[in-house]
Amino acid sequence: MPERKSGRKPASAAASNGGRGQRTGAGKTAGRAKTASPAKAASAAKAAKAASPAKAASRAKAVSPAKAVGPARAGRTAPAAPRLDVRKTYKLFVGGAFPRSESGRSYPVTGPDGALLAHAALASRKDARDAVSAARKALPGWSGATAYNRGQVLYRVAELLEGRAEQFAAECVKAAGVSPGEAESVVAGAIDRWVWYAGWPDKIGQVDGAANPVAGPYFNLSVPEPTGVVALLAPPEASLLALVSVLAPAIATGNSVVLVASETAPLAAISLAEVLATSDVPGGVVNVLTGRSAELAPVLAAHMDVNAIDLTGAAPADRAGLERLAAGNVKRVYAAGAGWVAEDWAATPGLARMLAFLETKTVWHPIGT
């Protein structure tokens, strides 16, 4: 007898069909496949593609980070892209901060060969008044600190100067046009000068003070005290040594300072201000202004809250007029007179600059109880 045909699939066929053939016949399955919409078939194909582990791995391989970085081969480094220099913005130093001039002005600073070195802030009269206010605010804390503490703070400044000696030497080469060896010698002298003044705060009282003999049952003591806010006109040279020789004695004796940097060579003063900002010197003890000395000096000489002024950097023709302005509140004036001769900054310093900004207070105290 001929075999009887059955509509059921063999077990092997059903297994290869994923189990669906157990419920439906081959005809029905084929019919379903034929009647499926093209959109559904496409989405099913996409799903199968996404689910395929081999293809997912190959897709990950395609976005390999090594290939995405660039064409660098094994053992070779990609050449570094050229970069622009970070140009420095030279600002004022007032109250421990670095503000721009309130006027928004600046002026070009050039080297001896005429090459442009930088643009420095051109301080205004308002900036000078702000600097005096900052110095007055910082004065009680600085003058009230122990002399030993002031010496430690100044020595810390010398440590930081030592760490940035190469930078100061490079700036000196550009600003003054000297050889690298001479610039290094000047910077080393400035650091040694700062250390020298750092040793004086707790000794100047023994040199300038005294226990005076009097006829009576009293102790009579003469004690040196800081003058107060001192305005300094820095020397016109581009030398860091000259700048330190003017600034260090004023703050070593407990004064607060408004420093007008050299108009033609202000970069050493601004870099020194950066050192002071990162040292232990309280904000406002030293304030640095850059700009025209002829514009700023009369404001400071006539300012009623400035107690002393150093005319070292003033032009000889301007000294008499500045002295007249300083007489308004009986300021102490250092480097006075039209015939004043500039100092030799390389020579061993004396005590004249420290004593110039000290005032002697005499105290009477009864002996016994």
Side-chain angles (χ1 to χ4, degrees):
M1 273 183 78
E3 265 186 2
R4 195 172 171 186
K5 290 184 180 180
S6 171
R8 293 185 183 178
K9 266 189 178 181
S12 59
S16 65
N17 199 26
R20 282 189 294 176
Q22 294 176 359
R23 293 189 181 179
T24 57
K28 285 185 182 180
T29 306
R32 275 189 190 174
K34 278 182 185 177
T35 56
S37 69
K40 284 186 180 179
S43 64
K46 275 186 186 177
K49 233 183 221 183
S52 168
K55 289 190 177 178
S58 66
R59 193 177 287 179
K61 196 187 267 186
V63 291
S64 166
K67 287 189 178 179
V69 167
R73 296 181 183 178
R76 295 185 186 176
T77 56
R83 59 182 295 275
L84 297 175
D85 293 336
V86 179
R87 295 298 179 91
K88 190 172 181 179
T89 303
Y90 290 90
K91 303 176 185 176
L92 309 177
F93 182 56
V94 178
F98 291 91
R100 290 180 171 84
S101 171
E102 60 86 25
S103 66
R105 301 177 301 170
S106 64
Y107 71 101
V109 179
T110 58
D113 57 354
L116 178 66
L117 301 180
H119 282 86
L122 189 60
S124 66
R125 291 174 293 178
K126 172 68 164 54
D127 294 319
R129 292 193 294 269
D130 290 343
V132 172
S133 298
R136 177 60 62 184
K137 186 177 179 182
L139 179 63
W142 182 243
S143 62
T146 63
Y148 179 73
N149 186 21
R150 285 202 303 270
Q152 287 182 313
V153 170
L154 293 180
Y155 188 81
R156 174 61 180 159
V157 175
E159 291 177 343
L160 295 177
L161 280 173
E162 182 79 32
R164 297 176 66 168
E166 290 184 7
Q167 174 198 343
F168 281 99
E171 289 182 352
C172 185
V173 169
K174 293 179 182 178
V178 298
S179 65
E182 187 177 349
E184 290 173 6
S185 176
V186 169
V187 173
I191 297 170
D192 293 344
R193 184 67 48 86
W194 199 282
V195 173
W196 191 83
Y197 278 113
W200 272 104
D202 59 347
K203 301 174 183 66
I204 193 65
Q206 302 169 36
V207 174
D208 193 38
N212 307 310
V214 293
Y218 301 99
F219 290 116
N220 183 269
L221 305 175
S222 294
V223 182
E225 288 190 340
T227 298
V229 176
V230 179
L232 302 176
L233 306 183
E237 296 90 345
S239 170
L240 179 66
L241 177 59
L243 180 67
V244 168
S245 299
V246 169
L247 174 62
I251 61 175
T253 48
N255 300 286
S256 57
V257 165
V258 177
L259 172 70
V260 179
S262 167
E263 181 178 347
T264 56
L267 302 189
I270 302 171
S271 295
L272 180 59
E274 294 173 357
V275 171
L276 296 171
T278 55
S279 70
D280 299 328
V281 177
V285 171
V286 178
N287 305 275
V288 179
L289 303 175
T290 56
R292 300 189 182 98
S293 179
E295 180 180 355
L296 300 173
V299 177
L300 296 173
H303 201 296
M304 300 300 288
D305 209 18
V306 174
N307 304 107
I309 187 168
D310 181 354
L311 302 181
T312 298
D318 298 336
R319 291 179 182 275
L322 293 174
E323 288 182 51
R324 281 194 296 269
L325 291 172
N329 67 336
V330 200
K331 285 182 181 65
R332 288 188 169 221
V333 180
Y334 187 78
W340 182 79
V341 180
E343 302 172 40
D344 179 10
W345 305 116
T348 303
L351 302 181
R353 285 190 169 272
M354 286 189 288
L355 299 179
F357 304 118
L358 284 174
E359 294 182 355
T360 302
K361 178 176 71 176
T362 301
V363 180
W364 294 74
H365 193 278
I367 297 175
T369 56

